[in-house]
Amino acid sequence: MYESDADFADFDLPLFRPALRLDALADTIHAAADHIGDGAPASRDEVGAQVVLPIFEQLGWDIEDPVVVARGFGTRRGAVDFALCHPEGNPRLLAGIGPPPERRSAREKAGHPFNDLSLRALQVGISEDGGEWRFYFPAGRGRLHNREFARAHLTRDGAVRAADVLDTYASHFALRNGWALRRAELEYRDRSFPVHAQEAWRRALAGDEIMDRFAAEIEAATGVSPDPEEAAEFVRGYVEGLPRTPNPPDPVPSRRVGLGDRVWVYDLAAGDLDCYYLVAADPDFERNEVTAESPIGRVLMGAREGETRETRLPNGTHWAARIVFIRHGRTD
């Protein structure tokens, strides 16, 4: 989320109030998740009509206008299921329903519409059942699977967390104003840097300029030029000794609960979704505020999304809940 309520002080419509919009989007996602969870096989058209388009509509896109939500949008490498356009003919987001990159052949990956270099649009790959949404940076930044920067699963992640991701990268407001692309660039940079930095450093060390500089430093210190083979062997040994990053980081980083956070939890006993605020002192219990020293606060602090935490409350009740979503810092 990039905007606050103050950004829309001149508007009094639910669409322009972030809290109301996210709640409505979560309800739509919850309904889509119910449809996905019924287990009935669905065609691509059915997934588009019953899962994808209702979500796009709730994200502020006019799904009845074919120039705003273009279906079967053609690119130089083939057609995608949907293109979200603003203004007319200018796609801001390409959406395709189908298997993820790891389940495609090399030929299918190379010819994928998401690899069209002429379109500077974010991309979202939606699984065959509509449940998983993977967001990719525009073409030109490496292979498709390496360009993934965010992911949301409508059933596993929960409606609230999925709503936050989809609103950030697929809402009409975020895409129209360029905020979605700027945030994607930051996410892509943060994810790709540790993956590629070490290999880039190795290549830089093995380059001619570094070798020439190294030889010049040896000559300045000793008065004689080093043997080229000996110098190259020394550098190769140093480069091989550098640590390597075995795997790229998770495209959806795991968050931890801290003070000031807003935390949604699923109460396993009651079967309800609750929201807590972690405050330093003077909690307002009517607003579900808890301190880090309270029984619930103690077990929430440091918890990751997806974890289950439990404790015994002062009244003797056993409390157990799964951490569904964490938003850092209070937003109201």
Side-chain angles (χ1 to χ4, degrees):
M1 291 294 296
Y2 301 98
E3 73 274 26
S4 65
D5 287 331
D7 294 317
F8 303 103
D10 296 331
F11 298 94
D12 193 28
L13 298 173
L15 176 63
F16 292 99
R17 297 190 60 82
L20 294 177
R21 192 176 68 251
L22 273 180
D23 287 344
L25 177 58
D27 289 342
T28 301
I29 291 174
H30 191 274
D34 286 343
H35 173 76
I36 295 167
D38 66 13
S43 66
R44 176 179 291 190
D45 289 341
E46 289 173 327
V47 169
Q50 299 178 18
V51 176
V52 179
L53 285 175
I55 289 176
F56 283 163
E57 183 175 32
Q58 194 60 57
L59 286 166
W61 296 95
D62 184 357
I63 63 174
E64 301 300 329
D65 189 338
V67 300
V68 173
V69 179
R71 310 184 191 194
F73 183 84
T75 76
R76 293 178 181 178
R77 290 179 175 263
V80 295
D81 293 282
F82 303 100
L84 306 183
C85 302
H86 182 87
E88 178 180 338
N90 181 16
R92 298 298 182 99
L93 182 76
L94 304 177
I97 302 171
E102 61 266 23
R103 287 171 47 199
R104 297 177 184 269
S105 68
R107 185 173 182 178
E108 288 175 328
K109 293 177 186 177
H112 198 283
F114 285 178
N115 288 324
D116 186 345
L117 294 170
S118 67
L119 298 174
R120 177 121 175 114
L122 292 180
Q123 305 151 357
V124 56
I126 303 170
S127 61
E128 295 99 320
D129 65 354
E132 186 173 63
W133 295 49
R134 300 187 182 195
F135 288 86
Y136 302 94
F137 203 73
R141 300 290 186 94
R143 297 178 179 177
L144 179 58
H145 67 277
N146 289 330
R147 302 200 316 264
E148 182 181 347
F149 63 85
R151 189 182 301 183
H153 201 289
L154 307 190
T155 57
R156 290 201 299 263
D157 293 344
V160 174
R161 176 173 179 172
D164 188 70
V165 174
L166 298 186
D167 187 70
T168 298
Y169 298 114
S171 70
H172 183 271
F173 185 91
L175 286 167
R176 180 192 69 203
N177 289 281
W179 288 353
L181 182 59
R182 290 197 292 273
R183 174 61 185 269
E185 288 176 337
L186 294 175
E187 293 287 348
Y188 178 80
R189 182 197 65 190
D190 292 346
R191 178 174 183 265
S192 62
F193 179 82
V195 178
H196 300 290
Q198 292 172 1
E199 287 304 320
W201 180 235
R202 286 187 175 84
R203 291 192 297 270
L205 288 176
D208 292 339
E209 291 183 5
I210 295 295
M211 290 298 297
D212 292 344
R213 176 69 181 274
F214 177 64
E217 292 292 340
I218 294 293
E219 184 175 359
T222 65
V224 295
S225 298
D227 178 83
E229 289 299 325
E230 183 180 5
E233 183 65 27
F234 176 86
V235 171
R236 280 196 297 269
Y238 176 75
V239 170
E240 288 303 317
L242 292 174
R244 295 178 180 270
T245 301
N247 296 304
D250 191 329
V252 184
S254 181
R255 316 181 192 191
R256 286 186 179 272
V257 177
L259 277 178
D261 289 350
R262 189 180 186 186
V263 187
W264 281 264
V265 303
Y266 180 74
D267 190 313
L268 298 178
D272 293 328
L273 190 68
D274 296 320
C275 179
Y276 292 96
Y277 295 105
L278 272 294
V279 297
D282 302 321
D284 183 344
F285 298 109
E286 292 186 359
R287 294 170 55 83
N288 268 19
E289 293 181 346
V290 295
T291 65
E293 292 74 30
S294 67
I296 291 180
R298 280 199 300 269
V299 297
L300 288 181
M301 287 291 290
R304 293 182 184 273
E305 292 176 346
E307 286 185 349
T308 297
R309 293 294 181 96
E310 53 189 298
T311 187
R312 188 163 296 280
L313 302 179
N315 62 5
T317 303
H318 180 261
W319 182 86
R322 187 175 71 250
I323 313 302
V324 175
F325 178 68
I326 304 165
R327 178 173 296 164
H328 295 304
R330 290 184 53 167
T331 59
D332 61 341

